[in-house]
Each structure stands twice: as structure tokens, then as C-alpha cells.
Amino acid sequence: MISAWIFDFDGVLVNTMETHFACYSQALEEAGVPIDKAQFYSQAGMTGREQIAYFARRAGKSVDVDAIYRRKGEIFRARKPEARAIESMVDLYKLLRANGHPVAIATGSSRPSVMPVIEQFDLAPNALVTSEDVQRGKPNPDLFLAAAERLGAPPDRCVVVEDSDVGIESAKRAGMRALRFFDRIAGSSARVEKGPLPL
């Protein structure tokens, strides 16, 4: 039996990934570090600092990760979050909440970047875990384990809704089932990872 649901945020409930990518691209470009879009998206769920450190290592550059992360935040705030709700997932999220299921949001993004969007789309969860709450981002299991703990749910009775490779790996490492979501221009779909969902 499922005890709780844990949703990733960017790319699952809302689409802000293009904005995040553009902001990281500008901040890293200013530091002389190239960024690859496909790689960035596949690593969605890492903390921002982990993403910056990854691309700096890949480029063989020694950089001030915190300074670049602060600069990314400045660019993001200046642009304001350009978000659209992913309606199918928001509908599922709100249906679960309305029927009394404990629901968490666990994201590698920062609390200041997600809170305005959560408020904009009325997505207040029972528990929120962000990059400030853990030492390691995805694919480590820390975010999801922290969310389960805050919900008071055993990990093996949690379902994670994710869209990224590192997010799916993180859910598996946490001992949770994962529902893989794909957001496409022509529509959206989802498939279950790690066996069927119990009814």
C-alpha cells in the first residue's frame, strides 16, 4: 500500500527548466565555462552548486562555485521565474491532496526559487525539501529520504514522481518506487519504474 507521494518540482509540476538553463548558461559563460543542454537536463535534480562544479570540472576550470551560484540567482530573480504549470501532473498532485494522501515536494532547486512558483500555482505540500536541507543532491537519495521522514512514511511505501535520470536513480537508491514522467510538446506520458504500483 502506498503511504505517500513525493514529487520533483521543475519538469514535473511546473516547467521552469528553460529559464534555469538560460540562467546557468549565462552565469557559467561569464566564468568561461561551457554548458551542455542535454547533459544539464539529464542531471536535473542535482543541486545548483553540483551542476556548476560538474561543468567546471568537465571544462578543466577552477572556479568559485558559490560566486557563480549567486550570480545565477541574480539573473534568475531579474528574469522572474517564467513558469507554466504541467497540467496533468498538477491535476494528479491536487487530486492526491484532496483525497488525503500525504504529498511532498523534493527538489534540488533552492527554496527562494521554488516558493514563488508554489504560491503562484497553489501547490503547497505537506512537506517541502530543497537544496538547503541536504548535503547532497540527486542521484543521492538524501532529498527523498528527508521528504519521507518529514511525512512520517516508510521509504518502501513512497512513490516518487520524477522526470530526470538522476531523479530516478535517487528514488531507487532511497528504496522507493518511481513514476517516470515525460513532458513533450505533442503531449505527456508517464511510466512506472521499479515494478507496478500497488493499488
Side-chain angles (χ1 to χ4, degrees), residues 32-82:
V33 176
I35 183 172
D36 177 78
K37 187 173 187 177
Q39 187 68 31
F40 176 82
Y41 272 72
S42 75
Q43 296 175 167
M46 284 185 173
T47 67
R49 289 179 176 85
E50 287 171 331
Q51 286 272 30
I52 292 164
Y54 170 84
F55 286 107
R57 284 194 306 272
R58 180 169 159 167
K61 295 268 190 178
S62 178
V63 301
D64 185 335
V65 170
D66 288 335
I68 295 173
Y69 186 69
R70 287 193 298 271
R71 175 62 180 143
K72 183 267 175 182
E74 292 171 359
I75 298 165
F76 187 79
R77 287 189 294 273
R79 291 181 64 138
K80 297 187 171 54
E82 299 162 9

mmCIF file of all heavy atoms in Angstrom, residues 32-82:
data_model
loop_
_atom_site.group_PDB
_atom_site.id
_atom_site.type_symbol
_atom_site.label_atom_id
_atom_site.label_comp_id
_atom_site.label_asym_id
_atom_site.label_seq_id
_atom_site.Cartn_x
_atom_site.Cartn_y
_atom_site.Cartn_z
ATOM 1 N N GLY A 32 33.571 31.669 -18.128
ATOM 2 C CA GLY A 32 34.354 30.951 -19.120
ATOM 3 C C GLY A 32 34.139 29.453 -19.125
ATOM 4 O O GLY A 32 35.022 28.693 -19.556
ATOM 5 N N VAL A 33 32.966 29.010 -18.660
ATOM 6 C CA VAL A 33 32.675 27.579 -18.580
ATOM 7 C C VAL A 33 31.521 27.251 -19.529
ATOM 8 O O VAL A 33 30.422 27.790 -19.362
ATOM 9 C CB VAL A 33 32.306 27.166 -17.148
ATOM 10 C CG1 VAL A 33 31.903 25.698 -17.105
ATOM 11 C CG2 VAL A 33 33.457 27.434 -16.189
ATOM 12 N N PRO A 34 31.736 26.360 -20.502
ATOM 13 C CA PRO A 34 30.629 25.960 -21.391
ATOM 14 C C PRO A 34 29.691 24.994 -20.688
ATOM 15 O O PRO A 34 30.078 24.284 -19.759
ATOM 16 C CB PRO A 34 31.352 25.281 -22.561
ATOM 17 C CG PRO A 34 32.622 24.762 -21.971
ATOM 18 C CD PRO A 34 33.012 25.737 -20.879
ATOM 19 N N ILE A 35 28.451 24.978 -21.146
ATOM 20 C CA ILE A 35 27.439 24.096 -20.566
ATOM 21 C C ILE A 35 26.722 23.382 -21.695
ATOM 22 O O ILE A 35 26.451 23.978 -22.742
ATOM 23 C CB ILE A 35 26.458 24.897 -19.680
ATOM 24 C CG1 ILE A 35 25.437 23.975 -19.001
ATOM 25 C CG2 ILE A 35 25.766 25.988 -20.468
ATOM 26 C CD1 ILE A 35 24.567 24.694 -17.960
ATOM 27 N N ASP A 36 26.436 22.101 -21.495
ATOM 28 C CA ASP A 36 25.751 21.293 -22.497
ATOM 29 C C ASP A 36 24.301 21.101 -22.061
ATOM 30 O O ASP A 36 24.035 20.616 -20.956
ATOM 31 C CB ASP A 36 26.452 19.942 -22.635
ATOM 32 C CG ASP A 36 25.747 19.035 -23.619
ATOM 33 O OD1 ASP A 36 25.917 19.239 -24.833
ATOM 34 O OD2 ASP A 36 25.014 18.130 -23.167
ATOM 35 N N LYS A 37 23.357 21.453 -22.932
ATOM 36 C CA LYS A 37 21.953 21.438 -22.557
ATOM 37 C C LYS A 37 21.448 20.030 -22.244
ATOM 38 O O LYS A 37 20.766 19.817 -21.231
ATOM 39 C CB LYS A 37 21.096 22.061 -23.662
ATOM 40 C CG LYS A 37 19.637 22.235 -23.280
ATOM 41 C CD LYS A 37 18.886 23.023 -24.349
ATOM 42 C CE LYS A 37 17.470 23.337 -23.900
ATOM 43 N NZ LYS A 37 16.733 24.161 -24.891
ATOM 44 N N ALA A 38 21.768 19.065 -23.101
ATOM 45 C CA ALA A 38 21.277 17.705 -22.869
ATOM 46 C C ALA A 38 21.821 17.154 -21.554
ATOM 47 O O ALA A 38 21.096 16.509 -20.787
ATOM 48 C CB ALA A 38 21.676 16.803 -24.032
ATOM 49 N N GLN A 39 23.085 17.425 -21.279
ATOM 50 C CA GLN A 39 23.679 16.949 -20.031
ATOM 51 C C GLN A 39 23.044 17.637 -18.830
ATOM 52 O O GLN A 39 22.747 17.010 -17.811
ATOM 53 C CB GLN A 39 25.188 17.204 -20.032
ATOM 54 C CG GLN A 39 25.932 16.604 -18.855
ATOM 55 C CD GLN A 39 25.943 15.090 -18.893
ATOM 56 O OE1 GLN A 39 25.942 14.483 -19.954
ATOM 57 N NE2 GLN A 39 25.929 14.466 -17.727
ATOM 58 N N PHE A 40 22.812 18.940 -18.947
ATOM 59 C CA PHE A 40 22.180 19.702 -17.867
ATOM 60 C C PHE A 40 20.810 19.124 -17.527
ATOM 61 O O PHE A 40 20.478 18.910 -16.363
ATOM 62 C CB PHE A 40 22.047 21.166 -18.277
ATOM 63 C CG PHE A 40 21.318 22.031 -17.282
ATOM 64 C CD1 PHE A 40 21.970 22.550 -16.180
ATOM 65 C CD2 PHE A 40 19.970 22.328 -17.452
ATOM 66 C CE1 PHE A 40 21.297 23.347 -15.258
ATOM 67 C CE2 PHE A 40 19.285 23.119 -16.537
ATOM 68 C CZ PHE A 40 19.958 23.628 -15.438
ATOM 69 N N TYR A 41 20.022 18.845 -18.560
ATOM 70 C CA TYR A 41 18.677 18.308 -18.326
ATOM 71 C C TYR A 41 18.732 16.907 -17.728
ATOM 72 O O TYR A 41 17.926 16.578 -16.854
ATOM 73 C CB TYR A 41 17.872 18.285 -19.624
ATOM 74 C CG TYR A 41 17.116 19.566 -19.894
ATOM 75 C CD1 TYR A 41 17.794 20.729 -20.274
ATOM 76 C CD2 TYR A 41 15.739 19.634 -19.759
ATOM 77 C CE1 TYR A 41 17.107 21.906 -20.518
ATOM 78 C CE2 TYR A 41 15.043 20.806 -20.005
ATOM 79 C CZ TYR A 41 15.738 21.940 -20.382
ATOM 80 O OH TYR A 41 15.067 23.112 -20.618
ATOM 81 N N SER A 42 19.683 16.084 -18.175
ATOM 82 C CA SER A 42 19.757 14.720 -17.653
ATOM 83 C C SER A 42 20.161 14.718 -16.182
ATOM 84 O O SER A 42 19.897 13.764 -15.462
ATOM 85 C CB SER A 42 20.746 13.886 -18.464
ATOM 86 O OG SER A 42 22.088 14.216 -18.158
ATOM 87 N N GLN A 43 20.808 15.806 -15.739
ATOM 88 C CA GLN A 43 21.264 15.916 -14.355
ATOM 89 C C GLN A 43 20.325 16.751 -13.495
ATOM 90 O O GLN A 43 20.646 17.075 -12.353
ATOM 91 C CB GLN A 43 22.667 16.534 -14.311
ATOM 92 C CG GLN A 43 23.708 15.676 -14.962
ATOM 93 C CD GLN A 43 25.070 16.320 -15.038
ATOM 94 O OE1 GLN A 43 26.044 15.650 -15.330
ATOM 95 N NE2 GLN A 43 25.164 17.606 -14.770
ATOM 96 N N ALA A 44 19.177 17.133 -14.036
ATOM 97 C CA ALA A 44 18.214 17.913 -13.264
ATOM 98 C C ALA A 44 17.908 17.186 -11.970
ATOM 99 O O ALA A 44 17.606 16.000 -11.969
ATOM 100 C CB ALA A 44 16.940 18.126 -14.068
ATOM 101 N N GLY A 45 18.001 17.886 -10.880
ATOM 102 C CA GLY A 45 17.834 17.255 -9.574
ATOM 103 C C GLY A 45 19.099 17.350 -8.744
ATOM 104 O O GLY A 45 19.056 17.289 -7.519
ATOM 105 N N MET A 46 20.243 17.485 -9.427
ATOM 106 C CA MET A 46 21.450 17.878 -8.703
ATOM 107 C C MET A 46 21.211 19.264 -8.131
ATOM 108 O O MET A 46 20.400 20.042 -8.644
ATOM 109 C CB MET A 46 22.654 17.947 -9.659
ATOM 110 C CG MET A 46 23.243 16.637 -10.065
ATOM 111 S SD MET A 46 24.719 16.983 -11.076
ATOM 112 C CE MET A 46 25.377 15.341 -11.269
ATOM 113 N N THR A 47 21.918 19.612 -7.064
ATOM 114 C CA THR A 47 21.834 20.985 -6.590
ATOM 115 C C THR A 47 22.536 21.892 -7.597
ATOM 116 O O THR A 47 23.355 21.438 -8.414
ATOM 117 C CB THR A 47 22.498 21.146 -5.211
ATOM 118 O OG1 THR A 47 23.905 20.929 -5.344
ATOM 119 C CG2 THR A 47 21.907 20.170 -4.201
ATOM 120 N N GLY A 48 22.226 23.173 -7.525
ATOM 121 C CA GLY A 48 22.849 24.122 -8.434
ATOM 122 C C GLY A 48 24.367 24.127 -8.321
ATOM 123 O O GLY A 48 25.080 24.180 -9.332
ATOM 124 N N ARG A 49 24.863 24.067 -7.112
ATOM 125 C CA ARG A 49 26.316 24.056 -6.915
ATOM 126 C C ARG A 49 26.940 22.806 -7.518
ATOM 127 O O ARG A 49 28.048 22.856 -8.071
ATOM 128 C CB ARG A 49 26.640 24.182 -5.422
ATOM 129 C CG ARG A 49 26.346 25.567 -4.843
ATOM 130 C CD ARG A 49 26.654 25.625 -3.356
ATOM 131 N NE ARG A 49 26.468 26.958 -2.814
ATOM 132 C CZ ARG A 49 25.293 27.436 -2.396
ATOM 133 N NH1 ARG A 49 24.207 26.657 -2.471
ATOM 134 N NH2 ARG A 49 25.197 28.663 -1.923
ATOM 135 N N GLU A 50 26.243 21.677 -7.413
ATOM 136 C CA GLU A 50 26.759 20.444 -8.008
ATOM 137 C C GLU A 50 26.792 20.545 -9.530
ATOM 138 O O GLU A 50 27.746 20.083 -10.173
ATOM 139 C CB GLU A 50 25.904 19.250 -7.570
ATOM 140 C CG GLU A 50 26.119 18.848 -6.121
ATOM 141 C CD GLU A 50 25.127 17.813 -5.633
ATOM 142 O OE1 GLU A 50 23.982 17.782 -6.150
ATOM 143 O OE2 GLU A 50 25.486 17.047 -4.729
ATOM 144 N N GLN A 51 25.786 21.153 -10.114
ATOM 145 C CA GLN A 51 25.779 21.346 -11.571
ATOM 146 C C GLN A 51 26.952 22.223 -12.003
ATOM 147 O O GLN A 51 27.675 21.905 -12.957
ATOM 148 C CB GLN A 51 24.450 21.992 -12.022
ATOM 149 C CG GLN A 51 23.250 21.075 -12.003
ATOM 150 C CD GLN A 51 23.080 20.305 -13.315
ATOM 151 O OE1 GLN A 51 24.044 19.998 -14.008
ATOM 152 N NE2 GLN A 51 21.840 19.983 -13.646
ATOM 153 N N ILE A 52 27.145 23.322 -11.298
ATOM 154 C CA ILE A 52 28.240 24.239 -11.642
ATOM 155 C C ILE A 52 29.585 23.542 -11.517
ATOM 156 O O ILE A 52 30.443 23.635 -12.399
ATOM 157 C CB ILE A 52 28.181 25.493 -10.743
ATOM 158 C CG1 ILE A 52 26.943 26.329 -11.087
ATOM 159 C CG2 ILE A 52 29.460 26.334 -10.885
ATOM 160 C CD1 ILE A 52 26.578 27.351 -10.030
ATOM 161 N N ALA A 53 29.776 22.831 -10.415
ATOM 162 C CA ALA A 53 31.041 22.124 -10.196
ATOM 163 C C ALA A 53 31.265 21.073 -11.282
ATOM 164 O O ALA A 53 32.404 20.888 -11.752
ATOM 165 C CB ALA A 53 31.050 21.477 -8.813
ATOM 166 N N TYR A 54 30.196 20.381 -11.695
ATOM 167 C CA TYR A 54 30.323 19.362 -12.733
ATOM 168 C C TYR A 54 30.837 19.977 -14.036
ATOM 169 O O TYR A 54 31.801 19.467 -14.639
ATOM 170 C CB TYR A 54 28.981 18.666 -12.983
ATOM 171 C CG TYR A 54 29.010 17.773 -14.199
ATOM 172 C CD1 TYR A 54 29.485 16.471 -14.110
ATOM 173 C CD2 TYR A 54 28.609 18.252 -15.443
ATOM 174 C CE1 TYR A 54 29.554 15.655 -15.229
ATOM 175 C CE2 TYR A 54 28.677 17.449 -16.571
ATOM 176 C CZ TYR A 54 29.150 16.162 -16.467
ATOM 177 O OH TYR A 54 29.225 15.366 -17.596
ATOM 178 N N PHE A 55 30.206 21.060 -14.495
ATOM 179 C CA PHE A 55 30.604 21.645 -15.777
ATOM 180 C C PHE A 55 31.974 22.314 -15.693
ATOM 181 O O PHE A 55 32.713 22.336 -16.689
ATOM 182 C CB PHE A 55 29.527 22.611 -16.280
ATOM 183 C CG PHE A 55 28.314 21.901 -16.815
ATOM 184 C CD1 PHE A 55 27.121 21.891 -16.112
ATOM 185 C CD2 PHE A 55 28.375 21.206 -18.010
ATOM 186 C CE1 PHE A 55 26.015 21.219 -16.591
ATOM 187 C CE2 PHE A 55 27.272 20.520 -18.508
ATOM 188 C CZ PHE A 55 26.088 20.526 -17.791
ATOM 189 N N ALA A 56 32.325 22.829 -14.536
ATOM 190 C CA ALA A 56 33.660 23.391 -14.369
ATOM 191 C C ALA A 56 34.726 22.290 -14.467
ATOM 192 O O ALA A 56 35.758 22.459 -15.138
ATOM 193 C CB ALA A 56 33.770 24.119 -13.035
ATOM 194 N N ARG A 57 34.481 21.158 -13.797
ATOM 195 C CA ARG A 57 35.415 20.025 -13.890
ATOM 196 C C ARG A 57 35.530 19.536 -15.329
ATOM 197 O O ARG A 57 36.624 19.249 -15.822
ATOM 198 C CB ARG A 57 34.947 18.865 -13.003
ATOM 199 C CG ARG A 57 35.197 19.058 -11.523
ATOM 200 C CD ARG A 57 35.035 17.747 -10.756
ATOM 201 N NE ARG A 57 33.752 17.099 -10.993
ATOM 202 C CZ ARG A 57 32.658 17.345 -10.289
ATOM 203 N NH1 ARG A 57 32.677 18.242 -9.306
ATOM 204 N NH2 ARG A 57 31.526 16.696 -10.562
ATOM 205 N N ARG A 58 34.391 19.445 -15.973
ATOM 206 C CA ARG A 58 34.372 18.976 -17.368
ATOM 207 C C ARG A 58 35.184 19.898 -18.271
ATOM 208 O O ARG A 58 35.827 19.429 -19.215
ATOM 209 C CB ARG A 58 32.910 18.894 -17.825
ATOM 210 C CG ARG A 58 32.708 18.434 -19.246
ATOM 211 C CD ARG A 58 31.246 18.133 -19.482
ATOM 212 N NE ARG A 58 30.905 18.168 -20.888
ATOM 213 C CZ ARG A 58 29.779 17.708 -21.396
ATOM 214 N NH1 ARG A 58 28.866 17.176 -20.609
ATOM 215 N NH2 ARG A 58 29.544 17.766 -22.673
ATOM 216 N N ALA A 59 35.158 21.183 -17.973
ATOM 217 C CA ALA A 59 35.908 22.154 -18.774
ATOM 218 C C ALA A 59 37.353 22.316 -18.294
ATOM 219 O O ALA A 59 38.128 23.060 -18.905
ATOM 220 C CB ALA A 59 35.197 23.509 -18.737
ATOM 221 N N GLY A 60 37.703 21.659 -17.191
ATOM 222 C CA GLY A 60 39.055 21.797 -16.648
ATOM 223 C C GLY A 60 39.323 23.163 -16.065
ATOM 224 O O GLY A 60 40.460 23.646 -16.066
ATOM 225 N N LYS A 61 38.279 23.793 -15.535
ATOM 226 C CA LYS A 61 38.399 25.156 -14.996
ATOM 227 C C LYS A 61 38.304 25.132 -13.478
ATOM 228 O O LYS A 61 37.496 24.384 -12.905
ATOM 229 C CB LYS A 61 37.268 26.036 -15.535
ATOM 230 C CG LYS A 61 37.307 26.264 -17.030
ATOM 231 C CD LYS A 61 38.076 27.523 -17.354
ATOM 232 C CE LYS A 61 37.928 27.896 -18.822
ATOM 233 N NZ LYS A 61 38.639 29.144 -19.119
ATOM 234 N N SER A 62 39.086 25.972 -12.842
ATOM 235 C CA SER A 62 38.974 26.189 -11.403
ATOM 236 C C SER A 62 38.152 27.458 -11.190
ATOM 237 O O SER A 62 38.560 28.544 -11.635
ATOM 238 C CB SER A 62 40.365 26.335 -10.779
ATOM 239 O OG SER A 62 40.252 26.594 -9.395
ATOM 240 N N VAL A 63 37.005 27.321 -10.549
ATOM 241 C CA VAL A 63 36.087 28.458 -10.416
ATOM 242 C C VAL A 63 35.601 28.572 -8.979
ATOM 243 O O VAL A 63 35.719 27.639 -8.186
ATOM 244 C CB VAL A 63 34.874 28.308 -11.359
ATOM 245 C CG1 VAL A 63 35.304 28.220 -12.817
ATOM 246 C CG2 VAL A 63 34.034 27.082 -10.979
ATOM 247 N N ASP A 64 35.022 29.731 -8.670
ATOM 248 C CA ASP A 64 34.371 29.949 -7.387
ATOM 249 C C ASP A 64 32.903 29.531 -7.557
ATOM 250 O O ASP A 64 32.093 30.292 -8.086
ATOM 251 C CB ASP A 64 34.486 31.421 -6.980
ATOM 252 C CG ASP A 64 33.927 31.701 -5.597
ATOM 253 O OD1 ASP A 64 33.052 30.936 -5.135
ATOM 254 O OD2 ASP A 64 34.336 32.702 -4.984
ATOM 255 N N VAL A 65 32.593 28.315 -7.139
ATOM 256 C CA VAL A 65 31.259 27.765 -7.349
ATOM 257 C C VAL A 65 30.197 28.623 -6.674
ATOM 258 O O VAL A 65 29.140 28.906 -7.258
ATOM 259 C CB VAL A 65 31.187 26.307 -6.836
ATOM 260 C CG1 VAL A 65 29.751 25.798 -6.826
ATOM 261 C CG2 VAL A 65 32.065 25.406 -7.695
ATOM 262 N N ASP A 66 30.459 29.062 -5.449
ATOM 263 C CA ASP A 66 29.472 29.873 -4.725
ATOM 264 C C ASP A 66 29.205 31.191 -5.434
ATOM 265 O O ASP A 66 28.060 31.649 -5.485
ATOM 266 C CB ASP A 66 29.939 30.125 -3.292
ATOM 267 C CG ASP A 66 29.849 28.890 -2.420
ATOM 268 O OD1 ASP A 66 29.021 28.008 -2.724
ATOM 269 O OD2 ASP A 66 30.609 28.797 -1.443
ATOM 270 N N ALA A 67 30.253 31.806 -5.984
ATOM 271 C CA ALA A 67 30.083 33.080 -6.682
ATOM 272 C C ALA A 67 29.234 32.903 -7.943
ATOM 273 O O ALA A 67 28.354 33.721 -8.241
ATOM 274 C CB ALA A 67 31.441 33.678 -7.036
ATOM 275 N N ILE A 68 29.484 31.824 -8.676
ATOM 276 C CA ILE A 68 28.690 31.566 -9.885
ATOM 277 C C ILE A 68 27.242 31.263 -9.506
ATOM 278 O O ILE A 68 26.304 31.712 -10.173
ATOM 279 C CB ILE A 68 29.307 30.413 -10.699
ATOM 280 C CG1 ILE A 68 30.686 30.819 -11.216
ATOM 281 C CG2 ILE A 68 28.397 30.026 -11.863
ATOM 282 C CD1 ILE A 68 31.446 29.695 -11.901
ATOM 283 N N TYR A 69 27.050 30.519 -8.422
ATOM 284 C CA TYR A 69 25.693 30.200 -7.971
ATOM 285 C C TYR A 69 24.940 31.470 -7.563
ATOM 286 O O TYR A 69 23.756 31.634 -7.897
ATOM 287 C CB TYR A 69 25.748 29.215 -6.814
ATOM 288 C CG TYR A 69 24.397 28.707 -6.375
ATOM 289 C CD1 TYR A 69 23.650 27.861 -7.195
ATOM 290 C CD2 TYR A 69 23.855 29.069 -5.145
ATOM 291 C CE1 TYR A 69 22.417 27.384 -6.796
ATOM 292 C CE2 TYR A 69 22.623 28.593 -4.743
ATOM 293 C CZ TYR A 69 21.907 27.756 -5.572
ATOM 294 O OH TYR A 69 20.677 27.299 -5.174
ATOM 295 N N ARG A 70 25.627 32.375 -6.872
ATOM 296 C CA ARG A 70 24.993 33.650 -6.510
ATOM 297 C C ARG A 70 24.639 34.445 -7.758
ATOM 298 O O ARG A 70 23.559 35.049 -7.841
ATOM 299 C CB ARG A 70 25.905 34.467 -5.607
ATOM 300 C CG ARG A 70 26.028 33.940 -4.182
ATOM 301 C CD ARG A 70 26.675 34.958 -3.267
ATOM 302 N NE ARG A 70 28.027 35.281 -3.672
ATOM 303 C CZ ARG A 70 29.116 34.620 -3.271
ATOM 304 N NH1 ARG A 70 29.005 33.584 -2.458
ATOM 305 N NH2 ARG A 70 30.316 34.989 -3.679
ATOM 306 N N ARG A 71 25.543 34.442 -8.730
ATOM 307 C CA ARG A 71 25.288 35.168 -9.971
ATOM 308 C C ARG A 71 24.089 34.569 -10.704
ATOM 309 O O ARG A 71 23.244 35.303 -11.236
ATOM 310 C CB ARG A 71 26.534 35.118 -10.866
ATOM 311 C CG ARG A 71 26.353 35.747 -12.236
ATOM 312 C CD ARG A 71 26.028 37.226 -12.143
ATOM 313 N NE ARG A 71 25.856 37.800 -13.465
ATOM 314 C CZ ARG A 71 24.948 38.738 -13.761
ATOM 315 N NH1 ARG A 71 24.149 39.236 -12.812
ATOM 316 N NH2 ARG A 71 24.856 39.202 -14.989
ATOM 317 N N LYS A 72 23.987 33.237 -10.724
ATOM 318 C CA LYS A 72 22.827 32.598 -11.342
ATOM 319 C C LYS A 72 21.549 33.066 -10.667
ATOM 320 O O LYS A 72 20.540 33.348 -11.327
ATOM 321 C CB LYS A 72 22.965 31.074 -11.258
ATOM 322 C CG LYS A 72 21.822 30.320 -11.937
ATOM 323 C CD LYS A 72 20.698 29.965 -10.985
ATOM 324 C CE LYS A 72 19.526 29.320 -11.702
ATOM 325 N NZ LYS A 72 18.401 29.020 -10.787
ATOM 326 N N GLY A 73 21.561 33.146 -9.330
ATOM 327 C CA GLY A 73 20.388 33.613 -8.599
ATOM 328 C C GLY A 73 20.001 35.034 -8.961
ATOM 329 O O GLY A 73 18.816 35.353 -9.092
ATOM 330 N N GLU A 74 21.002 35.890 -9.134
ATOM 331 C CA GLU A 74 20.734 37.279 -9.531
ATOM 332 C C GLU A 74 20.046 37.327 -10.899
ATOM 333 O O GLU A 74 19.076 38.070 -11.097
ATOM 334 C CB GLU A 74 22.041 38.063 -9.594
ATOM 335 C CG GLU A 74 22.710 38.304 -8.254
ATOM 336 C CD GLU A 74 24.109 38.884 -8.403
ATOM 337 O OE1 GLU A 74 24.545 39.080 -9.576
ATOM 338 O OE2 GLU A 74 24.755 39.138 -7.375
ATOM 339 N N ILE A 75 20.558 36.539 -11.830
ATOM 340 C CA ILE A 75 19.980 36.512 -13.173
ATOM 341 C C ILE A 75 18.554 35.982 -13.122
ATOM 342 O O ILE A 75 17.639 36.522 -13.749
ATOM 343 C CB ILE A 75 20.850 35.651 -14.113
ATOM 344 C CG1 ILE A 75 22.249 36.245 -14.239
ATOM 345 C CG2 ILE A 75 20.197 35.523 -15.484
ATOM 346 C CD1 ILE A 75 23.278 35.295 -14.842
ATOM 347 N N PHE A 76 18.345 34.913 -12.337
ATOM 348 C CA PHE A 76 17.016 34.293 -12.221
ATOM 349 C C PHE A 76 16.012 35.276 -11.644
ATOM 350 O O PHE A 76 14.886 35.411 -12.143
ATOM 351 C CB PHE A 76 17.126 33.046 -11.346
ATOM 352 C CG PHE A 76 15.875 32.218 -11.279
ATOM 353 C CD1 PHE A 76 15.540 31.348 -12.307
ATOM 354 C CD2 PHE A 76 15.035 32.279 -10.176
ATOM 355 C CE1 PHE A 76 14.400 30.561 -12.248
ATOM 356 C CE2 PHE A 76 13.894 31.504 -10.104
ATOM 357 C CZ PHE A 76 13.573 30.637 -11.143
ATOM 358 N N ARG A 77 16.402 35.979 -10.585
ATOM 359 C CA ARG A 77 15.477 36.943 -9.959
ATOM 360 C C ARG A 77 15.174 38.105 -10.890
ATOM 361 O O ARG A 77 14.043 38.622 -10.904
ATOM 362 C CB ARG A 77 16.061 37.443 -8.643
ATOM 363 C CG ARG A 77 16.023 36.409 -7.525
ATOM 364 C CD ARG A 77 16.411 37.009 -6.193
ATOM 365 N NE ARG A 77 17.806 37.432 -6.178
ATOM 366 C CZ ARG A 77 18.826 36.649 -5.876
ATOM 367 N NH1 ARG A 77 18.623 35.362 -5.591
ATOM 368 N NH2 ARG A 77 20.059 37.113 -5.865
ATOM 369 N N ALA A 78 16.157 38.517 -11.683
ATOM 370 C CA ALA A 78 15.935 39.617 -12.616
ATOM 371 C C ALA A 78 14.958 39.224 -13.723
ATOM 372 O O ALA A 78 14.138 40.028 -14.164
ATOM 373 C CB ALA A 78 17.267 40.056 -13.231
ATOM 374 N N ARG A 79 15.026 37.973 -14.145
ATOM 375 C CA ARG A 79 14.119 37.487 -15.193
ATOM 376 C C ARG A 79 12.741 37.193 -14.641
ATOM 377 O O ARG A 79 11.757 37.179 -15.385
ATOM 378 C CB ARG A 79 14.672 36.201 -15.809
ATOM 379 C CG ARG A 79 15.915 36.400 -16.639
ATOM 380 C CD ARG A 79 16.371 35.098 -17.235
ATOM 381 N NE ARG A 79 15.370 34.575 -18.170
ATOM 382 C CZ ARG A 79 15.666 34.023 -19.333
ATOM 383 N NH1 ARG A 79 16.918 33.934 -19.714
ATOM 384 N NH2 ARG A 79 14.729 33.561 -20.107
ATOM 385 N N LYS A 80 12.677 36.933 -13.331
ATOM 386 C CA LYS A 80 11.481 36.428 -12.663
ATOM 387 C C LYS A 80 11.202 35.018 -13.213
ATOM 388 O O LYS A 80 11.402 34.751 -14.389
ATOM 389 C CB LYS A 80 10.267 37.336 -12.837
ATOM 390 C CG LYS A 80 10.470 38.707 -12.220
ATOM 391 C CD LYS A 80 9.200 39.506 -12.273
ATOM 392 C CE LYS A 80 9.300 40.785 -11.483
ATOM 393 N NZ LYS A 80 10.418 41.642 -11.824
ATOM 394 N N PRO A 81 10.758 34.118 -12.356
ATOM 395 C CA PRO A 81 10.508 32.754 -12.828
ATOM 396 C C PRO A 81 9.470 32.723 -13.938
ATOM 397 O O PRO A 81 8.363 33.217 -13.775
ATOM 398 C CB PRO A 81 9.991 32.041 -11.566
ATOM 399 C CG PRO A 81 10.514 32.846 -10.438
ATOM 400 C CD PRO A 81 10.545 34.260 -10.921
ATOM 401 N N GLU A 82 9.866 32.197 -15.104
ATOM 402 C CA GLU A 82 8.958 32.079 -16.240
ATOM 403 C C GLU A 82 8.410 30.651 -16.222
ATOM 404 O O GLU A 82 8.963 29.754 -16.848
ATOM 405 C CB GLU A 82 9.705 32.390 -17.532
ATOM 406 C CG GLU A 82 10.273 33.807 -17.550
ATOM 407 C CD GLU A 82 11.361 33.996 -18.588
ATOM 408 O OE1 GLU A 82 11.559 33.080 -19.419
ATOM 409 O OE2 GLU A 82 12.017 35.038 -18.574
#
